[in-house]
Amino acid sequence: NGVLVISSPLATGNIVNPFHKHELTREEFEGLLKQVFNDVQILFHKTKLHNETLTENLYGICTKGGL
């Protein structure tokens, strides 16, 4: 048993980032994780970068069984 902590940029539709092949919505991100993990918690975080760009990210905290 263990814990997976994983992040993904949030798909906002506002900014096209050439380094991201695909950005996930919260529902897509959570759905993918729930295909594998029994317990999935989703957190959200906004960060302002040095060039004033606002980024929005999803974080998944996942386990398959109890710890």
Side-chain angles (χ1 to χ4, degrees):
N1 290 334
V3 176
L4 170 70
V5 178
I6 188 168
S7 68
S8 174
L10 176 65
T12 61
N14 298 333
I15 299 173
V16 176
N17 186 328
F19 299 105
H20 299 166
K21 185 171 182 178
H22 181 74
E23 293 180 344
L24 302 170
T25 65
R26 179 192 169 112
E27 292 78 19
E28 291 171 323
F29 185 62
E30 187 171 12
L32 287 171
L33 295 174
K34 284 186 172 182
Q35 290 178 18
V36 178
F37 297 97
N38 298 345
D39 182 33
V40 175
Q41 297 175 29
I42 303 294
L43 305 172
F44 176 79
H45 180 72
K46 287 185 180 183
T47 303
K48 188 181 283 188
L49 302 177
H50 62 86
N51 63 359
E52 299 299 312
T53 300
L54 183 65
T55 65
E56 300 176 83
N57 296 285
L58 298 167
Y59 294 88
I61 302 172
C62 313
T63 59
K64 271 199 154 187
L67 291 177

